[in-house]
Amino acid sequence: MMAPAIALQSVAKRYAGGRVGLADVDLEVPAGRFFGLLGPNGAGKTTLVGLLTTLVRADRGSIRVCGFDVATQAVAAKACMGVVPQEINFNSFEPVGEIVEAQAAYYGLSPRRARERTGQVLEQVGLADRRGQSAWGLSGGMKRRLMIARALVHRPHVLLLDEPTAGVDLEGRHTTWELLRALNADGVTILLTTHYLEEAEALCDSLAILDQGEIVARGETGELLHGLNVQTLVLELSAPLDACPELEGLAIRRVDRWTLEIDLPQGMEVNALFERLGACGVQVAGLRNKRNRLESLFLQRIAERASASRGAGT
Amino acid sequence: MRLAAYGFAYRGMVIKQVRRFLRAWVQNLLPSVVTTVLFLVIFGHLVGRELGTMRGVDYADFILPGLIILAVATNAYSNVTLAFYGARLQRHIEELLVAPLPAWLIVAGFATGGVIRGLLAGALVALVAIPFTNLQLHHLAATLGIALVSATLFALAGLLNGLYARSFDHTSVVATFVLTPLIYLGGLFYPVERMPEPWQSLAALNPLYYMVEGFRYGLLGTGSFAWATTFWVLVGTTLVVGGVAWALVARGVRIRS
């Protein structure tokens, strides 16, 4: 059986001052997956990426990447990883090409191969024409793309991306998405942390939600979304409505004369809803989710955890 | 295979370090040259004429070995201190830490950058001294050996400084308040045997005194003790400092959370 690309067992990290980074986390990412790691600020996402890359040392537990233990086989584990950190971490005074070429050398590529790969990855991220330019002059989005190019230069099997599209404009974000999809289709396992929940929903086939250093939800993206208790739909009406219709078992709010909000419970199909509305004379012209579905799931799980914590405290 | 990969990585690190100090060569290499010219003009010629000879050579010739080794040591030290501290501050040290590089290779990459700058600065100082002195080369192996091992020792010491520095102030404190005074008091401007007690005995405790005397022997053929003793003491000290630097980087002190 193929070893998982990433495997954490009972991994814990507590920082100086007592802040919990991770609390006994178990996590397995099979090879070839596009895995999303979500969570509020300070949830432990960056700590987890830091532990995988050895920038953060675990207090206990076992961490393996591509089957190699990062504590005892660090060189082999790191050789199969590419890392895109959250913060810009290259020397801005250096030219773009030199930054990528140097990283290629650190991964053991010969000078000729390093030059070739640098050209290829800069082309891939749309920075080929900036190769000789100082990184100082790049826009924020370009700097992020440069970090992606740097992480790809040695053809990693596992790519760790810590909020790679933070501050990137819409077009740049979609270009990055396409690039990541293509890499994943080529067999690269991707672990992505992001604050953009629509990004996770669009890209990730499985995900975990972290909160206060613990995983509060995990699974295939589709399954997790299917498990939503309720989703709020916004209906645009064909004709104005003076009063809010009342339907048994449904919470309906009238936003204005042309718009209704309805909480659709798990198990109820949209067609059934339309039929019941139609029976009351309400015709629907358009429909959308009020929130991104993953956002609903995220908020639901964080709220459940907060409620459980309060219950345990009383 | 792994050895070849390490070779490419080492090459990459050294090129990066050399490009770093050459990008600002006026700031990094010229100060030593200007200071040396001033020392040779003012002390070597204007004041030195009054002083006559020291150990049988002109005063300018006598102080030149100390000035060269001062340039070698301070340039090697400050290069690695600033490079390593800068890499920590801007976080591009992470480029190395996430790569499959053992700690000893990271130490070697930074130290080599410092050694190259130190030797380059020393060579430039020797070059500009030619019009002002009778530059000699009495013992090639002693001269090159002591220059190389001194540069390595100070480069590694600079890495320790860069590792522990918490601000830019900390990167210059040791060089300004410890190294430079020790070199000046280590017989750079005068033969230690002419000093009164207790200064003469205190100088014997100053490790940089041996470095200056050993290098002076290499150039002038005059020194207080066998150059080989100086050389092996420096080699031993370099191995100890290098071992400490390796252990600290391997443990991730100040560079990993």
Side-chain angles (χ1 to χ4, degrees):
Chain A
M1 201 175 113
M2 201 173 170
I6 296 170
L8 287 85
Q9 278 185 334
S10 307
V11 175
K13 172 67 185 176
R14 188 181 284 268
Y15 290 100
R19 186 171 70 80
V20 175
L22 282 186
D24 285 319
V25 164
D26 292 305
L27 183 68
E28 209 170 273
V29 180
R33 284 297 172 100
F34 203 133
F35 191 89
L37 198 57
L38 312 176
N41 288 333
K45 304 185 295 294
T46 299
T47 296
L48 196 147
V49 172
L51 287 163
L52 292 169
T53 57
T54 75
L55 290 175
V56 177
R57 289 167 294 195
D59 296 335
R60 63 173 181 276
S62 146
I63 304 167
R64 299 182 86 83
V65 178
C66 301
F68 300 108
D69 189 303
V70 300
T72 58
Q73 300 166 293
V75 168
K78 289 192 276 189
C80 73
M81 270 187 267
V83 187
V84 181
Q86 193 178 125
E87 307 281 343
I88 304 294
N89 74 341
F90 50 73
N91 186 344
S92 304
F93 297 107
E94 291 175 358
V96 168
E98 281 181 20
I99 290 170
V100 181
E101 257 183 73
Q103 196 70 9
Y106 300 160
Y107 281 86
L109 272 67
S110 70
R112 192 177 60 84
R113 189 83 191 104
R115 275 193 299 277
E116 279 172 15
R117 280 295 296 156
T118 297
Q120 288 165 4
V121 292
L122 287 178
E123 189 73 47
Q124 253 181 307
V125 301
L127 289 176
D129 56 335
R130 308 275 176 161
R131 186 168 181 160
Q133 187 184 317
S134 164
W136 186 262
L138 298 182
S139 69
M142 286 176 177
K143 285 177 179 167
R144 297 240 164 238
R145 280 189 275 151
L146 172 56
M147 293 204 295
I148 293 174
R150 189 182 58 177
L152 295 176
V153 75
H154 63 291
R155 295 189 186 280
H157 300 300
V158 175
L159 185 60
L160 310 175
L161 301 124
D162 196 358
E163 307 202 16
T165 56
V168 177
D169 62 26
L170 199 61
E171 190 192 349
R173 196 178 302 171
H174 280 270
T175 310
T176 305
W177 288 10
E178 289 313 310
L179 173 64
L180 296 179
R181 280 195 187 105
L183 287 168
N184 185 238
D186 281 346
V188 178
T189 307
I190 298 180
L191 185 143
L192 169 84
T193 81
T194 182
H195 271 127
Y196 299 116
L197 300 176
E198 75 277 14
E199 181 168 274
E201 190 172 349
L203 294 173
C204 301
D205 52 37
S206 45
L207 50 87
I209 297 177
L210 267 175
D211 188 31
Q212 295 175 37
E214 290 178 29
I215 292 180
V216 295
R218 79 177 85 196
E220 305 255 332
T221 309
E223 270 178 30
L224 285 169
L225 294 175
H226 186 70
L228 271 172
N229 292 336
V230 68
Q231 58 178 319
T232 303
L233 301 178
V234 178
L235 307 182
E236 287 161 22
L237 307 178
S238 303
L241 203 64
D242 291 324
C244 187
E246 287 184 13
L247 296 175
E248 195 182 334
L250 283 175
I252 304 179
R253 297 172 293 280
R254 197 178 70 121
V255 178
D256 56 43
R257 296 179 70 218
W258 292 90
T259 316
L260 290 179
E261 261 184 29
I262 299 184
D263 294 336
L264 187 71
Q266 187 181 21
M268 179 178 239
E269 291 188 357
V270 178
N271 282 343
L273 171 69
F274 285 175
E275 277 175 24
R276 291 179 67 184
L277 285 170
C280 304
V282 178
Q283 296 301 317
V284 178
L287 163 78
R288 63 180 167 85
N289 277 89
K290 183 177 182 185
R291 279 197 205 102
N292 167 283
R293 292 186 304 157
L294 194 52
E295 190 179 338
S296 303
L297 174 73
F298 179 81
L299 294 171
Q300 180 184 309
R301 293 303 166 95
I302 299 294
E304 282 168 8
R305 185 191 154 81
S307 160
S309 300
R310 276 196 302 275
T314 53
Chain B
M1 184 59 199
R2 181 44 55 190
L3 205 61
Y6 285 168
F8 295 138
Y10 175 71
R11 180 182 178 277
M13 278 189 280
V14 172
I15 288 175
K16 195 173 186 115
Q17 290 304 316
V18 171
R19 279 178 175 155
R20 192 194 72 82
F21 74 73
L22 287 182
R23 260 197 298 273
W25 63 273
V26 172
Q27 178 192 327
N28 289 325
L29 293 172
L30 284 194
S32 297
V33 172
V34 172
T35 308
T36 302
V37 170
L38 289 172
F39 272 130
L40 289 174
V41 170
I42 296 167
F43 292 106
H45 282 268
L46 302 179
V47 179
R49 236 181 268 148
E50 307 295 320
L51 294 172
T53 60
M54 298 264 177
R55 289 189 191 159
V57 296
D58 286 346
Y59 186 63
D61 295 352
F62 179 81
I63 64 172
L64 180 61
L67 292 175
I68 293 174
I69 207 70
L70 175 68
V72 170
T74 52
N75 274 278
Y77 187 91
S78 64
N79 192 74
V80 183
T81 301
L82 284 171
F84 204 87
Y85 176 67
R88 280 177 54 219
L89 188 72
Q90 292 186 47
R91 300 181 67 164
H92 52 86
I93 188 76
E94 291 175 4
E95 290 180 331
L96 295 166
L97 298 179
V98 303
L101 302 173
W104 62 263
L105 197 57
I106 295 175
V107 171
F110 274 99
T112 305
V115 169
I116 292 172
R117 177 170 151 192
L119 294 180
L120 194 57
L124 286 174
V125 165
L127 208 63
V128 298
I130 289 173
F132 304 98
T133 59
N134 302 305
L135 184 64
Q136 303 166 43
L137 186 56
H138 174 76
H139 196 303
L140 180 66
T143 306
L144 294 183
I146 289 176
L148 182 65
V149 77
S150 301
T152 310
L153 170 60
F154 278 83
L156 290 166
L159 193 145
L160 297 181
N161 192 163
L163 202 58
Y164 279 101
R166 288 189 187 278
S167 68
F168 271 109
D169 278 351
H170 294 172
T171 61
S172 60
V173 165
V174 178
T176 308
F177 297 107
V178 180
L179 296 181
T180 305
L182 281 179
I183 290 182
Y184 279 28
L185 294 169
L188 193 160
F189 291 110
Y190 44 82
V192 166
E193 65 269 17
R194 287 198 189 180
M195 293 172 72
E197 288 293 355
W199 298 107
Q200 207 174 121
S201 300
L202 284 174
L205 300 174
N206 177 357
L208 303 187
Y209 163 55
Y210 298 93
M211 198 173 81
V212 172
E213 281 294 288
F215 194 68
R216 182 171 284 142
Y217 172 80
L219 286 184
L220 304 177
T222 166
S224 307
F225 33 78
W227 75 270
T229 309
T230 299
F231 179 77
W232 289 114
V233 168
L234 285 174
V235 168
T237 314
T238 303
L239 289 175
V240 171
V241 176
V244 172
W246 167 76
L248 293 172
V249 172
R251 285 179 54 203
V253 174
R254 299 283 177 103
I255 48 179
R256 298 184 201 267
S257 304

